[in-house]
């Protein structure tokens, strides 16, 4: 018997620490809808945000103007510049989940240099370090980069090493620090991109974390042996390397990620100008795209809503245009705000990655809900099903690892990697983030046609000691906390 007000009959159920999403993108959606149902119903209690070089702050200059569209999309009334100001807003609105964050290299470079290519001057680099230091002292747990996106795409290895070295120096010995990277390539130049991350770890002395590790594109599937060899060798030499992955063979990002780097230089308006020229060079580059593998997931123009859920090939047939023209026209009509899903990965390779002992699970998704302002388009189902799918499909059905190993990968391992104290474990004195689920029934239901579906098998979720899910239903109690510097 216990002294609490309620007793849960958990016979036949499993009790685990709250799941930690190692790759979140909820900086803006959490403010638009702090209920965060899509992740809450997966048993996620803590998110690591600020990934791929994109964080809530700092927001200054051209980069602030660039991100204003995200705020307008969700009718967010708040404005901020620093991470501390953003955290104060979070504490005011009381999110459902615990929120930890990296600081984005894209934010730092964009706030200082805008979307200009080339090396920073000595003065600019000094200012970038100042913004990094400010974010770390205000509570960021590390630095992230997104090296396929502007402005991160214009940085070189030396710049990333210098900032990472500085971050380590500022953080030691009181705060956690990690460098997380969406690498320069996950396909044709995958090996070179991975070697750059390892070089950054070696020269800076920082732990490194590889975002959504994959071998994208059929002609790159055979690179997995080399990828694993490079990581194992780095770890054997004493480097600290970890990674995350969502349990799906399709990725998702902005459609304009298929464009060559030179199109982005100078920012959004310059990018649109270059698209409008429809140059032979650009069309030739886009003619190599596999149109049946790319599906449009979100647009804003009501006249284009019919495209959501359809492949570029299907759209091409419908509008009677060649693929390069289709891509260019959609981007122009939608003012670049087009989400897409890319079906380009190997199931065998996914399973090999998931089995790696340093591999965690991240949704690579913003938090959304089943109604309200964040229910838009046909987003990737990973935002609604990653954790139940990981346990139900890859652990229970396929048997890649034991249930204990699966839970460790989404609780104590990510807490250790990102320096999140007293979470990811069940013990006296730790925070009461808990999930109670049926290990024989837990499974995802969301799919690419119907992403807004709740998973099965999760009965209770507690966050900081209060119930967020009770007998499978939301309590509407929002008890998440801002985890400054992993605390």
């Amino acid at each position: 018997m216990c002294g609490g007000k309620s007793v849960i009959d958990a016979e036949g159920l499993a009790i685990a620490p709250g799941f930690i999403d190692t790759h979140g993108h909820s900086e803006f959606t959490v403010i638009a809808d702090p209920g965060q149902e899509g992740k809450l119903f997966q048993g996620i209690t803590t998110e690591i945000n600020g990934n791929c070089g994109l964080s809530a702050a700092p927001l200054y200059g051209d980069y602030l103007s660039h991100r204003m569209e995200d705020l307008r999309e969700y009718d967010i009334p708040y404005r901020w510049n620093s991470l501390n100001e953003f955290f104060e807003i979070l504490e005011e609105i009381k999110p459902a989940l615990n929120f930890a964050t990296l600081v984005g290299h894209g934010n730092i470079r964009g706030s200082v240099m805008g979307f200009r290519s080339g090396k920073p001057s000595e003065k600019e680099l000094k200012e970038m370090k100042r913004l990094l230091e400010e974010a770390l002292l205000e509570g960021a747990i590390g630095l992230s980069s997104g090296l396929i996106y502007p402005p991160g795409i214009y940085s070189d290895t030396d710049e990333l090493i210098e900032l990472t070295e500085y971050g380590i120096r500022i953080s030691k010995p009181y705060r956690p620090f990690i460098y997380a990277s969406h690498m320069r390539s996950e396909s044709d130049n995958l090996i070179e991109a991975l070697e750059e991350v390892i070089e950054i770890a070696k020269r800076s002395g920082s732990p490194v974390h590889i975002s959504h590790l994959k071998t994208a594109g059929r002609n790159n599937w055979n690179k997995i042996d080399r990828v694993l060899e490079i990581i194992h060798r780095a770890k054997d030499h004493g480097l600290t390397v970890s990674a995350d992955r969502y349990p799906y063979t399709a990725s998702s990002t902005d459609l304009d990620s298929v464009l060559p780097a030179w199109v982005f230089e100078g920012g959004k308006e310059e990018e649109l100008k270059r698209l409008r020229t429809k140059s032979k060079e650009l069309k030739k580059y886009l003619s190599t795209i596999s149109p049946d593998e790319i599906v449009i997931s979100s647009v804003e123009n009501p006249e284009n809503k019919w495209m959501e859920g359809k492949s570029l090939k299907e759209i091409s047939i419908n509008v009677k245009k060649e693929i390069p023209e289709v891509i260019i026209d959609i981007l122009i009509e939608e003012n670049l705000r087009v989400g897409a899903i890319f079906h380009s990965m190997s199931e065998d390779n996914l399973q090999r990655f998931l089995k790696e002992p340093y591999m965690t699970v991240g949704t690579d998704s913003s938090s959304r809900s089943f109604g309200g302002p964040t229910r838009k388009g046909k987003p990737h189902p990973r935002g609604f099903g990653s954790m139940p799918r990981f346990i139900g499909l890859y652990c229970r059905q396929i048997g890649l690892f034991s249930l204990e190993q699966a839970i460790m990968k989404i609780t104590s391992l990510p807490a250790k990697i990102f320096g999140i104290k007293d979470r990811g474990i069940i013990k006296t004195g730790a925070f009461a983030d808990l999930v109670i689920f049926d290990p024989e029934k837990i499974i995802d239901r969301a799919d690419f046609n119907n992403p807004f579906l709740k998973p099965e098998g999760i009965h209770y979720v507690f966050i900081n000691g209060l119930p967020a899910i009770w007998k499978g239903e939301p309590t509407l109690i929002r008890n998440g906390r801002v985890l400054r510097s992993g605390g």
Side-chain angles (χ1 to χ4, degrees), residues 58-82:
L59 292 176
Y60 297 99
D62 289 345
Y63 200 77
L64 171 60
S65 301
H66 173 70
R67 299 311 298 270
M68 283 294 291
E69 289 193 18
D70 295 302
L71 302 179
R72 285 192 287 267
E73 177 183 354
Y74 292 106
D75 295 321
I76 293 171
Y78 299 95
R79 296 295 181 267
W80 64 90
N81 299 110
S82 69

Side-chain angles (χ1 to χ4, degrees), residues 253-267:
T253 190
D254 297 330
L255 179 62
D256 70 348
S257 66
V258 303
L259 301 175
W262 57 266
V263 177
F264 301 123
E265 186 172 357

Side-chain angles (χ1 to χ4, degrees), residues 29-37 90 93-97 367 369 478:
T29 57
V30 66
I31 297 180
D33 187 345
Q36 302 183 277
E37 292 175 347
L90 277 192
I93 66 172
K94 297 180 180 177
L97 309 183
S367 59
S369 290
R478 303 203 304 264

Side-chain angles (χ1 to χ4, degrees), residues 16 20 39 60 103 108 127 202 220 230 358 436 465 473:
I20 298 175
K39 294 196 178 184
Y60 297 99
V103 57
I108 291 171
E127 178 63 9
K202 188 183 302 181
N220 296 300
I230 291 171
Y358 52 81
I436 302 177
E473 296 297 328

Side-chain angles (χ1 to χ4, degrees), residues 38-341:
K39 294 196 178 184
L40 180 60
F41 273 88
Q42 295 184 56
I44 294 170
T45 59
T46 297
E47 290 181 294
I48 309 297
N49 289 289
N51 288 285
C52 300
L54 308 170
S55 58
L59 292 176
Y60 297 99
D62 289 345
Y63 200 77
L64 171 60
S65 301
H66 173 70
R67 299 311 298 270
M68 283 294 291
E69 289 193 18
D70 295 302
L71 302 179
R72 285 192 287 267
E73 177 183 354
Y74 292 106
D75 295 321
I76 293 171
Y78 299 95
R79 296 295 181 267
W80 64 90
N81 299 110
S82 69
L83 194 58
N84 195 53
E85 291 169 340
F86 175 76
F87 283 160
E88 289 176 354
I89 293 168
L90 277 192
E91 288 165 345
E92 176 186 335
I93 66 172
K94 297 180 180 177
L97 309 183
N98 300 313
F99 187 103
T101 190
L102 303 153
V103 57
H105 167 257
N107 291 65
I108 291 171
R109 192 179 217 270
S111 291
V112 175
M113 298 179 62
F115 291 86
R116 192 179 81 244
S117 63
K119 284 179 171 288
S121 66
E122 186 175 333
K123 181 180 179 181
E124 288 168 334
L125 188 58
K126 183 178 180 180
E127 178 63 9
M128 289 165 69
K129 288 180 178 179
R130 187 191 70 79
L131 290 178
L132 173 60
E133 179 175 359
E134 179 182 86
L136 293 172
L137 295 179
E138 290 178 346
I141 57 176
L143 174 70
S144 80
S145 64
L147 303 181
I148 72 164
Y149 304 113
I153 197 170
Y154 301 123
S155 62
D156 62 18
T157 308
D158 288 339
E159 176 184 321
L160 297 169
I161 289 171
E162 188 153 356
L163 289 173
T164 302
E165 283 180 331
Y166 190 74
I168 281 281
R169 193 156 65 247
I170 292 300
S171 298
K172 281 185 175 180
Y174 307 107
R175 300 173 181 84
F177 182 88
I178 192 167
Y179 170 70
S181 183
H182 179 144
M183 300 187 297
R184 292 192 195 276
S185 174
E186 297 170 324
S187 54
D188 293 347
N189 296 309
L190 170 62
I191 302 304
E192 295 86 348
L194 178 57
E195 288 175 336
E196 179 186 40
V197 174
I198 301 303
E199 181 70 11
I200 292 170
K202 188 183 302 181
R203 289 173 55 189
S204 71
S206 175
V208 296
H209 184 83
I210 302 164
S211 297
H212 37 62
L213 181 59
K214 63 175 74 76
T215 52
R218 185 175 296 272
N219 60 327
N220 296 300
W221 293 356
N222 63 357
K223 295 178 180 177
I224 186 168
D225 290 333
R226 180 68 177 135
V227 167
L228 296 180
E229 176 190 339
I230 291 171
I231 295 174
H232 292 165
R233 187 175 68 242
K235 292 176 75 66
D236 288 343
H237 282 80
L239 300 181
T240 302
V241 183
S242 57
D244 62 64
R245 180 60 194 267
Y246 41 84
Y248 299 84
T249 56
S251 62
S252 182
T253 190
D254 297 330
L255 179 62
D256 70 348
S257 66
V258 303
L259 301 175
W262 57 266
V263 177
F264 301 123
E265 186 172 357
K268 177 181 175 180
E269 293 307 317
E270 292 302 313
E271 180 179 347
L272 285 167
K273 283 181 185 178
R274 294 185 184 104
L275 288 173
R276 291 188 184 104
T277 66
K278 297 185 178 181
S279 67
K280 290 182 179 179
E281 181 183 2
L282 179 57
K283 286 184 178 180
K284 182 179 180 181
Y285 183 91
L286 293 176
S287 67
T288 63
I289 299 297
S290 300
D292 53 343
E293 294 180 351
I294 302 176
V295 175
I296 300 300
S297 61
S298 65
V299 293
E300 295 187 357
N301 187 339
E303 295 179 0
N304 288 335
K305 284 290 182 180
W306 66 270
M307 297 180 182
E308 292 178 346
K310 289 185 169 52
S311 70
L312 289 179
K313 185 175 182 179
E314 291 172 310
I315 295 170
S316 171
I317 293 170
N318 186 288
V319 300
K320 298 180 175 59
K321 293 181 181 178
E322 297 296 320
I323 295 301
E325 288 273 351
V326 168
I327 295 171
I328 293 170
D329 287 348
I330 293 174
L331 289 172
I332 292 172
E333 290 170 16
E334 293 296 327
N335 209 25
L336 305 180
R337 298 184 68 79
V338 187
I341 292 171

